[in-house]
Amino acid sequence: MHTLRIKGWPAALLVAAMAAPAAAAPPTSGADPVTEALAQARERRVPVLIDYTAPWCYSCYYMAKNVLTGPEWERAHREAVVLELDADSPIGAKWMAAWSVKAMPTYLLFNADGAELGRILGEQTRGDFYAWLFSTIGGDSLDAVKSRVAGGSKASVGAGREVLRAYHARYDATGGLHWLQQLQPSVRQALAKDKQGSAWIARLELMRAASAKDAAGCASVARKVFAADLGCERPYELGRVQACIEPLPQAQRRSLLRPQARPMGWLLDQRVLSQERCADERSVVLGVADLQQELGDAAAEKKALDRAIEDLKHRLDGDLKKDRNMSDNLRVYLDRAGRVAELDQMLPLLIEAWPDDYVYPYRHARSLASRGKHAEAMPLYEQAAA
């Protein structure tokens, strides 16, 4: 999931956790691509799939090359009106605010009447993305799913998990926990006793505490969140905790975070530096590096970054056009590792590889300016501005 990072935590997610407004109803007036897509959807009697992307979004590069291709993507175009929105555009920004979109990429599915059916964020494997998409196409709106949460049956608990997951995807912890409190006690108890339901409740509690900048609250719920089967999403929750508990004493922070070194190390070894990779490799690598930095282990921090750098160099084999997601990850790892000489060699090659994109001239200019090389940076800033 592509966001800026502050001290290891994806900053856009941090901002989202602080703000976390309830999802707004989409506007219905004005001629723009979204209203046109909804009109087409009504005519075709299919839903609308919104693909939110941006030129700076490395996660979007991954999805474009590895997931939004092939027969499944062709099927998606048959079964839905597919619309790509640029988050940098005025129209994109308007709809981002309307739908409370906080990170790139975000995929939203609406029925032809404009009711949201579901959303999924960040890099996904082909299997996970299309399982979500084709199970959600033709599915019920969130309100309809809520109506099925009644009692302790398996179906009710399953629907409850889906509602909690939806609130988490919308960064609306307050709304999700408020909905939970309105349920009958027996229904709440059934969800709390369910392993996945309990995990979603804990993740919403953490999101709410982070939004309130409640360091003690984050520390209190963190162990319950970390005990869940988070898979490749562990770096996101780890980053949320790290950002939230920063005001606490160092010894307390390290005591809470140290047990995460093992599962994060496992993710690096088994889900990044192996064949079965997390879709979002970058968050795992930077999550390990940031965790080791917090724990004061500079050698482990350097080792994680060096291993990831060498792995990407091997996979790219000198061809930066081979896979833009991997190339951009390599750029970030070199920057994070302080390997400035290699970064200075790589950035001009990235500019050459994508000459019509402002991103790499801008990044190269910023890198040079941060080291006081303003005369060298200025032409690159001008190139990016153009």
Side-chain angles (χ1 to χ4, degrees):
M1 185 184 308
H2 183 86
T3 51
L4 302 177
R5 299 181 67 85
I6 293 178
K7 293 195 175 182
W9 175 233
L13 299 188
L14 180 58
V15 171
M18 292 175 178
T28 56
S29 62
D32 63 37
V34 175
T35 55
E36 291 177 5
L38 288 169
Q40 291 180 35
R42 288 190 291 273
E43 184 177 337
R44 289 175 51 188
R45 302 193 181 206
V46 296
V48 175
L49 174 64
I50 307 293
D51 171 7
Y52 252 112
T53 185
W56 38 262
C57 172
Y58 75 88
S59 306
C60 304
Y61 306 156
Y62 174 89
M63 293 296 289
K65 180 176 177 61
N66 298 287
V67 179
L68 308 183
T69 60
E72 297 97 335
W73 192 230
E74 292 172 4
R75 175 185 167 189
H77 281 76
R78 292 194 300 270
E79 297 187 14
V81 174
V82 180
L83 174 64
E84 181 180 292
L85 283 181
D86 183 351
D88 282 354
S89 70
I91 286 292
K94 179 187 85 168
W95 289 95
M96 280 183 71
W99 292 323
S100 192
V101 173
K102 303 294 183 182
M104 297 294 111
T106 292
Y107 302 92
L108 302 101
L109 197 65
F110 296 92
N111 66 21
D113 295 324
E116 183 174 329
L117 301 175
R119 67 176 66 189
I120 194 168
L121 315 180
E123 296 99 320
Q124 304 289 327
T125 64
R126 290 187 73 91
D128 288 345
F129 179 79
Y130 288 112
W132 166 80
L133 178 61
F134 295 131
S135 65
T136 308
I137 286 178
D140 293 327
S141 68
L142 183 60
D143 285 340
V145 177
K146 287 179 180 180
S147 70
R148 300 203 299 268
V149 184
S153 69
K154 184 177 180 180
S156 173
V157 170
R161 288 197 302 256
E162 181 58 27
V163 172
L164 295 170
R165 187 206 67 78
Y167 275 110
H168 191 273
R170 295 179 179 193
Y171 297 97
D172 186 10
T174 299
L177 294 171
H178 176 75
W179 169 80
L180 182 69
Q181 288 304 311
Q182 304 309 304
L183 300 176
Q184 293 293 325
S186 60
V187 182
R188 293 201 305 271
Q189 291 170 10
L191 276 169
K193 289 180 180 179
D194 177 70
K195 186 176 180 180
Q196 295 180 52
S198 176
W200 282 118
I201 293 170
R203 293 176 73 176
L204 286 171
E205 290 172 344
L206 173 61
M207 183 181 285
R208 182 173 64 179
S211 175
K213 301 183 182 179
D214 178 4
C218 287
S220 176
V221 74
R223 286 188 172 86
K224 188 173 182 181
V225 172
F226 290 153
D229 182 12
L230 298 172
C232 294
E233 295 188 7
R234 184 170 295 273
Y236 306 147
E237 301 296 2
L238 174 61
R240 196 189 303 274
V241 171
Q242 282 185 263
C244 184
I245 67 172
E246 190 172 357
L248 299 179
Q250 183 185 74
Q252 186 178 350
R253 298 198 310 268
R254 289 185 173 181
S255 175
L256 179 62
L257 296 173
R258 189 170 287 110
Q260 292 307 298
R262 184 172 181 178
M264 287 296 294
W266 183 89
L267 277 177
L268 179 64
D269 289 337
Q270 302 300 321
R271 300 302 305 276
V272 173
L273 304 176
S274 68
Q275 295 302 311
E276 187 182 357
R277 305 177 192 272
C278 290
D280 185 0
E281 299 176 29
R282 183 185 295 192
S283 289
V284 176
V285 172
L286 296 183
V288 171
D290 292 342
L291 175 61
Q292 295 299 345
Q293 182 183 58
E294 170 67 26
L295 297 177
D297 193 339
E301 176 189 355
K302 181 179 184 300
K303 182 179 179 181
L305 291 166
D306 288 347
R307 291 177 69 201
I309 288 168
E310 294 312 307
D311 174 67
L312 281 179
K313 285 182 175 180
H314 174 73
R315 289 157 66 191
L316 287 167
D317 194 25
D319 183 4
L320 295 182
K321 289 187 176 183
K322 181 178 182 180
D323 187 305
R324 189 168 181 181
N325 175 255
M326 288 196 292
S327 297
D328 203 63
N329 283 348
L330 178 57
R331 173 191 64 81
V332 169
Y333 301 162
L334 290 171
D335 191 21
R336 178 68 172 75
R339 292 166 64 163
V340 177
E342 292 175 80
L343 187 65
D344 282 347
Q345 291 178 348
M346 182 183 187
L347 280 166
L349 298 176
L350 289 171
I351 295 170
E352 181 182 354
W354 288 280
D356 297 327
D357 196 328
Y358 73 89
V359 171
Y360 294 122
Y362 173 67
R363 294 196 188 284
H364 194 15
R366 284 189 61 187
S367 176
L368 292 168
S370 70
R371 289 173 272 144
K373 298 182 178 182
H374 300 292
E376 295 178 51
M378 187 57 68
L380 292 163
Y381 276 130
E382 291 172 348
Q383 180 180 347

